Amino acid sequence: MTLLEQLGDIAKRGVDLLEEAHAASSLPLPADQARMVRRTAAAFLSPTSHSRYQSRALAAARRNQHSLETLALIARRSRGISEPTKRWQFREKLCATAGTTAQISRAATRLLRELNPPPEREDGGRRIMHGEKTTLSFTGPAAEMADIWAAAKSDPLAWLTGSRAAAPATVTTNVIIELPDYLKILTGDGDDIRLAMTNGATISGAELVRRTLAGAGLFTLIHPERGPVNLYRTRQASPKQRRMLEAEGARCAWPACRRPASECQAHHLLEYSRGGLTHPENMALLCPYHNSINGLPGRGRMARIRGRIAWLPPVRHHADKDSNDKNRNFATGTKARAPGPPVFTGRARTGPTAAVP
């Protein structure tokens, strides 16, 4: 038998090596290796009150031909288990597991997680110094930390240093609003309203709404007659305005269209070029196709009726030779027919959104 063949045979006899080392008074090995062998032998062969576990573990290790290296790993990973029964159960399971030392190591990691699950982390922060660099870590409720990370992830250092100064103590004040002014604010005319505050300052109605809703997240204010209220004058709908429109409907407002709101455009019910305001009360979400045909002859148009988005059927014409008919369109030589009833597709004032045919 060659030396390599002998080495291969010895590698499969880890238990035999431990038994011989445990009985020997000295070991003809380098000091560090001798110390490892003796500690492993003591772990597996020292007298114990769990002798049945010990016998089964040794038999399984011999059956699986575990090497001395594998047995040393099992002994080392088991030292962190303080309860004797669990420690021997851990050893027995790993000795009964076939595989290489690396495979046994992965199995040991899984077993340790089951026996000693990690403790629940406490809220707080931690600083780690790295010479000229420092790492900060924070622990808190998952939902709140997700919001923080969403705001900070693009440039965490700028987020921390640029806007994280301690907030001053909040002073609560009352705002005095007369009922007529309150109604004007609800209809979107708050810029012209000046309100007195009990701390001596004055504030516009529009600013009051912005301050009141600033910490409320996604908040949609809907007037019972005019629909969603906004306080800005721009041509393009802002992200906030789009969110308000999405609160009215999750899809294109055109009847029977199923395009999601995320793929729709903010359409002015009264065209911007004709003085239509970029307020949610004057807008509806339409997919690009229905936005392009809205108002064309024979296609109908979108409108807001009593605060709800609706589709108005087109006014149809037919030929008529009666020149005395007051409904006759002399430019086209046709007679107008009364349009059909509107089809409501927007949010109802009370109850669920009306069904779309």
Side-chain angles (χ1 to χ4, degrees):
M1 181 181 293
T2 65
L3 289 175
L4 289 176
E5 290 173 338
Q6 294 179 45
L7 182 61
D9 181 63
I10 293 173
K12 299 175 183 178
R13 301 172 61 185
V15 175
D16 295 337
L17 290 173
L18 288 183
E19 290 176 340
E20 186 174 336
H22 189 63
S25 56
S26 62
L27 299 178
L29 298 171
D32 56 343
Q33 189 174 7
R35 186 164 48 252
M36 179 271 291
V37 172
R38 286 202 178 278
R39 293 189 68 179
T40 304
F44 278 99
L45 298 171
S46 294
T48 175
S49 58
H50 294 72
S51 56
R52 293 185 179 180
Y53 286 100
Q54 184 183 49
S55 298
R56 291 196 298 266
L58 291 172
R62 184 177 276 111
R63 186 168 56 251
N64 286 315
Q65 298 182 338
H66 283 323
S67 67
L68 180 61
E69 181 183 7
T70 298
L71 294 175
L73 178 138
I74 295 173
R76 184 170 63 253
R77 301 291 294 273
S78 69
R79 292 190 190 113
I81 304 175
S82 57
E83 207 279 310
T85 300
K86 290 184 178 180
R87 184 165 61 246
W88 273 109
Q89 289 173 343
F90 176 82
R91 291 171 179 169
E92 181 184 357
K93 286 183 180 180
L94 292 181
C95 287
T97 301
T100 64
T101 303
Q103 291 170 331
I104 301 303
S105 178
R106 290 192 289 270
T109 300
R110 291 192 295 270
L111 282 175
L112 286 173
R113 289 200 190 106
E114 295 175 6
L115 293 173
N116 298 311
E120 183 177 354
R121 296 182 179 272
E122 296 182 356
D123 293 353
R126 183 183 181 190
R127 181 182 69 168
I128 304 175
M129 308 293 291
H130 312 285
E132 296 183 357
K133 298 286 186 177
T134 298
T135 297
L136 300 178
S137 64
F138 301 95
T139 301
E144 295 180 20
M145 298 306 291
D147 292 340
I148 292 174
W149 180 241
K153 63 182 179 180
S154 60
D155 194 340
L157 187 58
W159 184 83
L160 284 169
T161 59
S163 58
R164 301 277 53 85
T170 301
V171 178
T172 301
T173 61
N174 289 331
V175 179
I176 302 171
I177 313 176
E178 294 184 0
L179 182 58
D181 290 340
Y182 175 70
L183 295 177
K184 287 184 178 180
I185 293 172
L186 286 182
T187 57
D189 298 326
D191 284 310
D192 299 327
I193 305 298
R194 304 306 299 179
L195 303 172
M197 302 175 68
T198 55
N199 63 358
T202 60
I203 189 174
S204 72
E207 180 63 20
L208 171 65
V209 173
R210 284 192 289 269
R211 290 191 181 191
T212 303
L213 304 184
L218 302 183
F219 196 104
T220 303
L221 182 63
I222 300 180
H223 188 276
E225 293 297 332
R226 298 179 63 183
V229 175
N230 207 326
L231 305 171
Y232 307 102
R233 166 66 172 166
T234 58
R235 184 179 182 90
Q236 299 297 325
S238 68
K240 175 187 173 183
Q241 290 170 327
R242 284 193 61 91
R243 291 194 295 267
M244 295 175 72
L245 292 172
E246 289 168 359
E248 281 199 297
R251 299 184 177 88
C252 171
W254 198 274
C257 183
R258 291 293 183 264
R259 288 286 289 274
S262 61
E263 299 178 11
C264 290
Q265 300 169 345
H267 164 75
H268 287 76
L269 300 175
L270 174 62
E271 292 85 351
Y272 186 86
S273 59
R274 295 173 55 195
L277 300 178
T278 310
H279 290 181
E281 64 180 314
N282 186 47
M283 291 190 293
L285 290 177
L286 293 178
C287 68
Y289 172 73
H290 287 123
N291 195 12
S292 67
I293 67 170
N294 179 78
L296 293 181
R299 306 310 297 264
R301 63 183 179 87
M302 304 304 299
R304 188 177 292 278
I305 300 177
R306 296 184 297 279
R308 293 176 58 192
I309 289 296
W311 174 77
L312 301 181
V315 176
R316 300 189 181 279
H317 299 84
H318 65 281
D320 194 331
K321 297 182 180 179
D322 184 2
S323 60
N324 295 322
D325 193 331
K326 63 181 178 180
N327 292 325
R328 180 182 178 85
N329 186 323
F330 292 96
T332 61
T334 60
K335 179 181 177 182
R337 289 181 178 176
V343 177
F344 288 97
T345 62
R347 178 182 179 275
R349 291 175 57 184
T350 59
T353 301
V356 179

